[in-house]
Each structure stands twice: as structure tokens, then as C-alpha cells.
Amino acid sequence: MLYIVGHTNPDTDSICSAIVLSYFMDGAPARLGKLNPETEFILKRFGIMEPELIKSAKGKELILIDHADKSQSLEDLDEGKLIGIIDHHKVGMTTSEPILFISKPLGSTATVIAELYFNNTMSFIGGKNKELKPDLAGLLLSAIISDTVLFKSPTTTETDKELAEKLAKIANIEDINKYGMELLKAKSSVGKMSPEEIISLDYKNFDFNGKKIGIGQVEVIDVSEVEAKKQLIYKALEEKFKEDYDLILFLITDIMKEGSEVLVVGNNEAFEKAFNTTLENNSTFLDGVMSRKKQIVPPLEKYYIK
Ligand code: MN
Ligand code: MN
């Protein structure tokens, strides 16, 4: 059986892209964790079931989407048969056998999939040239909006905007901005969550030169709910740090201000040097920083690998 699966602590792109790609590949969408409130909102909106939760790669054929990094995948990934990777992140892994590999520096994996569809090139990756149904177009559109933070993130490309327009037409969504704000509101509803839940909403591990780094992020329209829990979040991060980390960062991204407050646990010096900044009470505000992938990971990796 072919499974299409995104990264651990799945976000909207990982879930929605898995669902749509499995439609074209005749596979089964899978997930490596709980859905976040934004993704739940989207699946409900389009009447789509959540993908199956899987815990092992054993006996499975797999296409990884929205990640190309073993530290963000199934722990026993090597026990399965890796067929391919469709992604938009930096390449963080090698494979022992040839695989299908498509990765483009676009705003979301959903954009990569939409591009394959609109170019009639699904067959190029072994998929079927079927018609994209309105509900599935809605999922891809939602994933683009989510990953690009309604086209505000510096990861946004012209292709993301163009394909979002095309998808919105198919999905019968007249006002992308209005729908986008609904999504971002769903994303921001962290009021009832525990600090641990907020941290794991969007949390990724990285291996930089043998050092374990964790980077979490929460993107909110109104920071007050997260601000109120900041001390507790920091405590929970310190607890997590005991799991053999060198550094943990947690980004509270203010979508309206277009910047992120970063909470830092562990190797403060690494952070200060990498970002040429000074921390006060283990935190700082980075103006204009919204993207972990484009603005946090590269300087940090450069620091560690130097
Ligand atoms: Mn993702
Ligand atoms: Mn993505």
C-alpha cells in the first residue's frame, strides 16, 4: 500500500497536500500526529475526513511530502520503502536507493502539487491526470494560504499567488482574503490550549553538525492569548530541553506586525551570534522575521556548521 505522509506535528500543508496527492496517486493519506485547529477547521469546511494516523513505516511504500528530513519523519523510516519526496524545504537527507524527488522553492507543497496539476504533468510523477474537484482545490488553496501566512511570508512567490487564484475559482471561493482571515483566526485560537500543546502545534527538530536543535512556531493575529502564557511556555520549553538539545527556539509570530518574538532556551550564544542580536530575559523580537525555513534555519545552520 502506498502512503502519502507529511511531517510530524503536521500542519495544514502536510495534511491537505497528502490528501490531494493521494487522490492523484491512488494512495492513502496519512498523518504523524494530531491535527491543529486550523486544519480541523479546513477539513470540516470542505467535508473531508482526516487522514489515518500511522506510527511505523514497516511494510509500507511511502511518499514523503512537505519535508525532506529524517528527524521530522517516521522514526523507523528506513524500515519502509521510500518511493519519493515532494517538497519545498531544504534537502536534509540522503537515500540508499534512487527515488522520485521533486522540490521547488515555492510557498507550499500544495503549490508544487497544484503546479503539477495545472501543467497536466501528474503522470510525470506516476499520478493520474484526473480532474481536481472543488473540495480538493479548496484544500490546496488553504495550504498555500496557511504556509504563506496569506501571502505575507517572505517565502511567498508569484506562483503561489497565481495558483491560489486558479484554485479559488475551482473551489468557488470568491474572496481569498476574506477566507484567508478566517483561516488565520482558526490558527490563532490557542486560548484553551496547554503550553505543551501550543509548543507542539508546529515544532520541528533539526540536526546541525550533530547538535540537536528544536524550533517551534505559533502564528497569531492577536498575540495576547500566547503572551498571557509566555512564562508557562518557557517552563515547558526548559522541560523539553532536557531531551539532549543544544538549543530550542520558540517563535511567537505576530502576523499583523510581521515579526516574531523568539524565546531561547539553551545555547544563547549560538542564537546571539547567528542573528547578531542580544537577548534580554532569554527573548528578543526579530522585526520582519516570519519564516522558520527562510529566516531562522539558514543563519542558525551556518553558525553550527562553520
Ligand atoms: Mn509543513
Ligand atoms: Mn509546507
Side-chain angles (χ1 to χ4, degrees):
M1 180 74 176
L2 173 65
Y3 285 86
I4 322 277
V5 68
H7 53 77
T8 49
N9 299 323
D11 55 10
T12 290
D13 193 25
S14 269
I15 298 294
C16 293
S17 293
I19 293 169
V20 177
L21 193 61
S22 20
Y23 165 74
F24 288 105
M25 305 291 292
D26 286 335
R31 62 186 165 92
L32 301 185
K34 233 176 96 190
L35 298 189
N36 69 38
E38 180 199 53
T39 314
E40 269 177 9
F41 167 87
I42 293 159
L43 295 192
K44 214 176 263 170
R45 166 79 164 70
F46 294 99
I48 307 265
M49 273 186 24
E50 65 173 29
E52 178 191 340
L53 179 71
I54 58 168
K55 295 204 160 134
S56 168
K58 257 183 213 134
K60 295 183 178 76
E61 293 187 322
L62 293 156
I63 291 182
L64 305 184
I65 54 142
D66 200 34
H67 68 300
D69 205 314
K70 280 187 182 166
S71 52
Q72 294 156 20
S73 207
L74 284 156
E75 267 179 37
D76 66 349
L77 185 65
D78 294 333
E79 306 280 318
K81 181 159 175 51
L82 185 62
I83 303 287
I85 296 175
I86 315 279
D87 188 33
H88 69 127
H89 294 86
K90 77 185 181 73
V91 188
M93 64 188 272
T94 52
T95 60
S96 49
E97 282 178 56
I99 58 160
L100 162 77
F101 185 83
I102 297 186
S103 186
K104 286 187 83 170
L106 297 173
S108 69
T109 303
T111 319
V112 179
I113 295 170
E115 198 178 42
L116 287 166
Y117 172 73
F118 288 117
N119 289 341
N120 287 311
T121 43
M122 276 298 173
S123 58
F124 175 67
I125 61 162
K128 298 222 167 89
N129 285 326
K130 301 193 229 181
E131 191 193 338
L132 186 65
K133 300 278 184 331
D135 52 352
L136 296 185
L139 295 192
L140 290 181
L141 171 66
S142 305
I144 295 175
I145 292 172
S146 173
D147 260 24
T148 65
V149 197
L150 196 48
F151 314 115
K152 280 179 192 240
S153 167
T155 55
T156 311
T157 67
E158 281 310 308
T159 310
D160 297 303
K161 292 181 195 164
E162 271 166 38
L163 298 187
E165 295 278 348
K166 282 185 163 185
L167 291 165
K169 279 210 181 88
I170 300 174
N172 299 312
I173 288 170
E174 272 170 35
D175 189 338
I176 295 182
N177 268 303
K178 190 169 156 237
Y179 175 64
M181 285 309 283
E182 278 177 48
L183 281 200
L184 297 184
K185 267 185 206 139
K187 197 178 215 170
S188 299
S189 64
V190 297
K192 287 193 194 105
M193 290 184 183
S194 70
E196 289 79 10
E197 282 174 318
I198 294 173
I199 291 166
S200 63
L201 266 178
D202 180 5
Y203 186 88
K204 286 180 181 173
N205 284 323
F206 297 86
D207 180 325
F208 296 154
N209 223 1
K211 295 275 202 297
K212 187 176 170 188
I213 318 291
I215 311 175
Q217 183 174 27
V218 63
E219 295 159 314
V220 287
I221 294 178
D222 176 3
V223 292
S224 62
E225 284 182 357
V226 185
E227 283 289 323
K229 291 182 183 174
K230 215 162 74 180
Q231 302 303 330
L232 294 170
I233 290 172
Y234 196 82
K235 269 211 176 109
L237 291 172
E238 285 180 311
E239 198 52 44
K240 208 173 181 64
F241 183 73
K242 292 175 186 164
E243 297 162 22
D244 213 21
Y245 279 101
D246 187 63
L247 174 69
I248 294 185
L249 304 181
F250 188 71
L251 279 71
I252 303 167
T253 300
D254 187 326
I255 297 171
M256 297 328 240
K257 260 199 209 159
E258 301 192 19
S260 301
E261 178 174 2
V262 190
L263 309 183
V264 182
V265 184
N267 194 342
N268 280 14
E269 194 194 329
F271 179 83
E272 290 184 328
K273 288 232 167 93
F275 294 93
N276 194 18
T277 181
T278 35
L279 291 164
E280 238 174 87
N281 295 323
N282 301 309
S283 88
T284 188
F285 188 84
L286 298 180
D287 201 28
V289 169
M290 298 181 80
S291 167
R292 170 175 47 204
K293 180 192 340 192
K294 216 166 173 168
Q295 296 167 298
I296 298 290
V297 169
L300 212 52
E301 186 168 27
K302 204 171 151 199
Y303 172 83
Y304 275 97
I305 290 180
K306 68 168 191 290

